[in-house]
Amino acid sequence: QQRKDENNDSNTAAAAVVHAYADIPYDRSSFHLAGRSDCVAEVAISLIQNALNEIELKNNNNNDASNKLEARHPFVGLVDHVSVMSITSQESGTTTPTITAAAASSARQIGSQIDQSNSNSIKIHYYGMACPNNTPLATVRRKTSFFNSGGAHDNNEKQQQQQYEKGECTIGTPLEFVENYNIRLTPNVDFGTAKTLTQVLRGRNIATKGMGVPGVEALTLPYIRHADHGGNVYEVACNLLEPKIGSVEQIEVELEKWIQQQKQQLLSKDDGDDMNDQYDRDYFIEKAYRVGTTEEQCLSLLKNADEDEYWMRYDQQVFSRFHEFLG
C-alpha cells in the first residue's frame, strides 16, 4: 500500500508498491517498490521480515522436494535478492550522485537491519555500490550456490549444503536501473537450441564472438509446467544492466535474426518451401515479456499520484494482478 510523505508538501508518494509478481513454475515472487529512499527501505524491511517469519525454506537435501527444487528459478535463499536502484531526478532529468548514494545507503540499511534481526538464520552478501569494492552482482553470485541451484543445477555437480535456515541474500545497488526480460520458448526448441539464443543475446560475447546485446546477461532455464498448462519448455532470462544502451528493442532485433536462422536451418533439412509458413515466430517463441518494472513506469506512478482515491484503485489493481499470478 502507498505511503504519503508527511514531511513534504508535494503529493508525490513517499513509497508505493509499483508491481507485484508471482511465477508458480519458478516458485518465486517479486515486489517492486518506489519512492523516497528511507521510506522504501522501511517498507522493504517490513516486507522481508514478514517473509522470513512466515515462510519456511525447503531443505536442499529433502528428496521429496527434489522435483520442485529442479523447477525453481536459481536462488540462494528465501529472500534471494534485494536490488535498490536509483531513478532519474524528476527535477533535473538525470540520476545524480546524491540519489545514487541514497540508494546504496538504503541497501546497506536494509541489509544491516535484516542481519541484526536474523543473524543466525540468514547470510547477507552486498554487491554494487552497496559494497566497498563495487563488486558486480554476477561476481557475488558466483561465490554462492546461485548458478548451481534450481533450474541452473548441474546434475553432475553436488549441491552445496544449506548452512542457514533461511539461506542467503544478495543486497545491493547496481550502477543503473536494471530491467528484466524473459523469452519463453515452445516445445519445438530443445535445450541445445535454446542455448544458442542465450549466446546470441549475452553482452559479454560481443568482444569474443561478435554477437550479443550490450549490457545483457542471459541464462537458459527450464520452465517446468503440467502438460495441461503447456508442458515443459525453456526460457532465456535476461538482465539488462544498461537498458539505455542494450534495450528490450535491441533484444527483439537479435531475437528475430535468431528466428530467421533457425527457420533457414529447418527449411534446409525439410528440403522444400511448403513448410515456410509453419516456421514463424510462434513456432519458436511462446512469449517474450518484461519481468518487473521500468524506470519510466516508476517515475510516472510517483509523479502522477495526487489523490488517495487514485492510490486505492491502483493498490487494488496490483493486488488483483498478484492474485491472478498466484492462480
Side-chain angles (χ1 to χ4, degrees):
Q1 194 174 36
Q2 167 262 356
R3 249 195 63 173
K4 294 297 284 286
D5 188 350
E6 298 175 353
N7 299 316
N8 192 326
D9 293 334
S10 169
N11 284 324
T12 298
V17 180
V18 182
H19 180 67
Y21 175 72
D23 195 330
I24 301 303
Y26 279 149
D27 198 21
R28 66 169 179 169
S29 59
S30 63
F31 300 88
H32 291 242
L33 314 175
R36 209 178 71 195
S37 58
D38 57 334
C39 296
V40 167
E42 180 183 336
V43 176
I45 290 169
S46 176
L47 179 62
I48 293 167
Q49 191 58 59
N50 283 331
L52 292 172
N53 291 340
E54 298 295 330
I55 304 172
E56 294 297 324
L57 179 65
K58 295 292 185 181
N59 191 308
N60 286 350
N61 298 311
N62 185 341
N63 291 329
D64 293 337
S66 60
N67 291 334
K68 187 67 172 177
L69 287 167
E70 288 301 315
R72 283 179 175 173
H73 190 279
F75 69 105
V76 294
L78 178 66
V79 180
D80 176 70
H81 181 208
V82 181
S83 181
V84 185
M85 301 181 286
S86 59
I87 57 178
T88 302
S89 167
Q90 295 182 33
E91 290 77 21
S92 66
T94 61
T95 302
T96 67
T98 301
I99 295 175
T100 304
S105 177
S106 292
R108 289 190 291 269
Q109 178 188 348
I110 294 168
S112 176
Q113 183 64 52
I114 296 303
D115 186 44
Q116 290 177 24
S117 302
N118 309 271
S119 58
N120 295 322
S121 61
I122 189 170
K123 180 177 177 58
I124 306 295
H125 300 275
Y126 293 99
Y127 75 89
M129 299 188 70
C131 75
N133 299 322
N134 197 15
T135 308
L137 174 60
T139 302
V140 173
R141 279 176 164 169
R142 289 189 186 99
K143 297 177 182 179
T144 70
S145 61
F146 182 85
F147 290 109
N148 189 31
S149 66
H153 173 53
D154 184 343
N155 291 324
N156 295 320
E157 294 186 22
K158 184 178 180 180
Q159 286 187 315
Q160 296 182 17
Q161 293 282 341
Q162 180 183 307
Q163 298 180 2
Y164 296 86
E165 180 187 355
K166 304 294 183 177
E168 302 174 60
C169 177
T170 53
I171 300 179
T173 298
L175 295 175
E176 297 187 30
F177 194 103
V178 176
E179 297 179 12
N180 305 102
Y181 195 66
N182 284 10
I183 302 168
R184 187 177 305 157
L185 304 169
T186 69
N188 298 316
V189 182
D190 61 23
F191 182 57
T193 306
K195 288 199 298 183
T196 66
L197 176 58
T198 301
Q199 293 295 326
V200 163
L201 298 178
R202 273 184 181 156
R204 72 187 189 197
N205 287 338
I206 294 175
T208 58
K209 300 180 180 179
M211 64 176 71
V213 178
V216 169
E217 296 175 334
L219 188 64
T220 313
L221 297 172
Y223 196 76
I224 299 176
R225 303 170 296 188
H226 191 277
D228 292 343
H229 294 92
N232 300 341
V233 293
Y234 293 97
E235 276 200 347
V236 176
C238 301
N239 295 332
L240 286 67
L241 304 186
E242 302 174 79
K244 292 181 176 65
I245 300 175
S247 65
V248 166
E249 291 72 22
Q250 286 179 274
I251 288 177
E252 279 291 333
V253 169
E254 297 305 317
L255 175 58
E256 287 299 324
K257 291 179 182 177
W258 177 84
I259 291 172
Q260 291 304 313
Q261 291 173 352
Q262 299 305 313
K263 178 179 179 178
Q264 292 305 317
Q265 290 180 18
L266 290 173
L267 287 174
S268 65
K269 293 178 182 178
D270 290 337
D271 194 28
D273 294 334
D274 55 330
M275 300 293 290
N276 187 65
D277 293 338
Q278 177 182 336
Y279 300 134
D280 58 6
R281 181 184 174 102
D282 291 341
Y283 182 85
F284 302 98
I285 309 299
E286 176 183 316
K287 182 180 181 181
Y289 62 102
R290 287 185 181 274
V291 181
T293 56
T294 66
E295 185 178 22
E296 291 73 19
Q297 182 181 351
C298 294
L299 284 169
S300 176
L301 178 65
L302 295 174
K303 182 178 180 180
N304 295 328
D306 56 1
E307 298 178 359
D308 288 340
E309 184 179 346
Y310 171 90
W311 281 112
M312 292 178 65
R313 291 197 307 269
Y314 189 84
D315 284 347
Q316 186 58 49
Q317 289 173 5
V318 171
F319 177 80
S320 297
R321 285 196 298 267
F322 186 64
H323 190 266
E324 291 173 4
F325 288 136
L326 290 173

